[in-house]
Amino acid sequence: MLQKKLITVMSVAALSIAAFTSALTSQTAQAAYPDKPITMIVPFSAGGPTDTVARTIGQVMSKSLGQQVLIENVGGAGGTIGTGRVAAANPDGYTILLMHFGISTAPSLYRNMKYDATKDLEPIGLVTEVPMTIVGKKDLPANTLNELITYLRANKSKVSMANAGIGSASHACGMLFMSSLELDLLTVPYKGTQPAMTDLLGGQVDFMCDQTTNTTSQIKGEKIKGFAVTSKTRNAALPNLPTTDEAGMKGFTIGVWHGMWTPKSTPKAINDRLVKALQDALKDKDVIERFANLGTAPEPLNRQTPEALRAHLIAEIAKWSPIIKKAGVYAE
Ligand code: ASP
């Protein structure tokens, strides 16, 4: 009896030593974090607007973390492939996600989602809300938004609108654009709007919606035509471009919020370190300046937090779900 009790006491002691040692090891691992480069997954093509945001903040986050932040582009299926990659990654802080509001439209658009962004990812913070622009190839015979609409109506069987796949920002903007004009046009999906921009520059597609982080320099350089910016007010980087509202599409606004996540179960100490690195990057003067040149700005500090992103994602999924159901668009 006594022997049995002793064994029990000993095994409890052994268990607690084991638990203590493992807690200590994981604390040491977290204390040492990061001790190797971190991969930031961007679910769209390199050189596009989401990628540009990631690379801009990634460089400064590297300084704050004392380790390189490497960008990996995992494009396809409107950003769901790259997002799914992070949801399934090891929760050790070495794989993080930079994704935009498409993360909130995907659950209503895709019938076979392999992850639930509200449960399988840990929020770090909101990054920036980027306006979109409606842009067209240089030789389109239209110079204003109204002229573009007239041209589209007259040529609806010929024109093509590019996007970055179902669930992308350009897809959502294009859906809203077509539904508010009651127009049904041919859409051409790409893995991101960088390859779409290449085709727009080459004249293979006619027009698209895309973030200012991809279109500002092309509009300024007159390589493409800018018809309108989709924010409520004009954009300081493109002051001559009217808002969609001013140009005739009353109430048509769309902004592309971006957030950062880690896989579910990433230890809090690691997430806290990433929150700090994100906040350091978003107050960096070079980041603020680069964002301004690209027509955007960091989110306010109180939104650069896990709590703000968690609440925002839930609200956005609830906002988009009825709109998408009504539109009847979906993908497998
Ligand atoms: N602008 C793209 C979108 O429409 C994403 C990208 O290529 O970064 O979602």
Side-chain angles (χ1 to χ4, degrees), residues 42-45 48-52 78 99-101 132 163-165 167-171 191-195 209-211 214 256 258:
V42 172
F44 296 101
S45 319
T50 317
D51 182 72
T52 299
M99 176 54 179
H100 61 47
F101 87 104
M132 297 198 95
N163 67 38
S168 62
S170 43
H171 172 250
K191 283 192 173 175
T193 40
Q194 195 287 327
C209 286
D210 200 17
Q211 289 104 297
N214 204 30
V256 184
H258 293 64

Side-chain angles (χ1 to χ4, degrees), residues 3-318:
Q3 202 182 18
K4 196 170 171 206
K5 207 168 175 185
L6 196 64
I7 291 175
T8 315
V9 170
M10 278 174 64
S11 24
V12 169
L15 264 178
S16 16
I17 290 171
F20 179 71
T21 319
S22 112
L24 209 64
T25 319
S26 109
Q27 263 173 30
T28 318
Q30 286 166 38
Y33 174 83
D35 63 2
K36 61 177 184 187
I38 294 165
T39 300
M40 191 191 289
I41 305 254
V42 172
F44 296 101
S45 319
T50 317
D51 182 72
T52 299
V53 169
R55 284 176 202 270
T56 305
I57 58 167
Q59 270 179 12
V60 185
M61 285 181 72
S62 296
K63 275 194 259 160
S64 169
L65 291 161
Q67 282 292 339
Q68 258 190 301
V69 175
L70 306 168
I71 309 295
E72 188 181 338
N73 300 89
V74 183
T80 56
I81 296 176
T83 304
R85 172 88 68 90
V86 179
N90 213 349
D92 58 5
Y94 291 99
T95 308
I96 63 178
L97 171 71
L98 192 285
M99 176 54 179
H100 61 47
F101 87 104
I103 198 166
S104 60
T105 56
S108 312
L109 286 166
Y110 285 84
R111 289 193 166 164
N112 293 313
M113 289 286 288
K114 296 203 172 54
Y115 58 87
D116 176 341
T118 63
K119 296 199 180 102
D120 300 330
L121 295 168
E122 302 279 354
I124 298 298
L126 282 151
V127 178
T128 176
E129 176 154 337
V130 186
M132 297 198 95
T133 45
I134 299 173
V135 293
K137 65 181 185 187
K138 206 178 160 191
D139 59 1
L140 265 188
N143 290 315
T144 63
L145 188 63
N146 274 331
E147 286 173 13
L148 173 71
I149 294 168
T150 307
Y151 176 79
L152 296 176
R153 288 201 194 284
N155 295 278
K156 53 179 181 250
S157 58
K158 299 202 299 226
V159 286
S160 54
M161 182 174 203
N163 67 38
I166 291 189
S168 62
S170 43
H171 172 250
C173 179
M175 267 194 333
L176 288 179
F177 181 81
M178 288 189 281
S179 68
S180 57
L181 297 173
E182 293 181 14
L183 260 176
D184 195 12
L185 304 172
L186 173 72
T187 55
V188 187
Y190 293 80
K191 283 192 173 175
T193 40
Q194 195 287 327
M197 178 62 80
T198 305
D199 276 7
L200 197 68
L201 291 165
Q204 284 90 357
V205 278
D206 294 307
F207 81 113
M208 67 172 167
C209 286
D210 200 17
Q211 289 104 297
T212 55
T213 33
N214 204 30
T215 58
T216 303
S217 64
Q218 309 287 10
I219 296 172
K220 279 185 163 166
E222 296 182 10
K223 303 230 168 57
I224 56 173
K225 284 186 177 173
F227 295 105
V229 61
T230 65
S231 40
K232 283 199 182 106
T233 54
R234 286 197 182 205
N235 191 283
L238 293 162
N240 298 329
L241 205 61
T243 65
T244 21
D245 192 274
E246 281 175 328
M249 292 187 78
K250 290 278 160 238
F252 185 100
T253 59
I254 185 161
V256 184
W257 59 267
H258 293 64
M260 185 176 289
W261 290 264
T262 55
K264 173 189 163 189
S265 306
T266 303
K268 181 165 182 319
I270 290 180
N271 283 337
D272 288 349
R273 189 67 196 84
L274 289 166
V275 172
K276 159 116 183 31
L278 174 65
Q279 294 180 350
D280 284 348
L282 293 179
K283 62 171 185 256
D284 181 89
K285 90 174 186 341
D286 292 341
V287 169
I288 295 170
E289 194 180 311
R290 171 116 176 95
F291 272 0
N293 290 334
L294 294 169
T296 192
E299 287 275 5
L301 183 60
N302 65 350
R303 287 172 60 83
Q304 302 165 12
T305 62
E307 300 71 34
L309 177 53
R310 179 175 288 112
H312 191 66
L313 175 61
I314 293 169
E316 285 284 290
I317 292 175

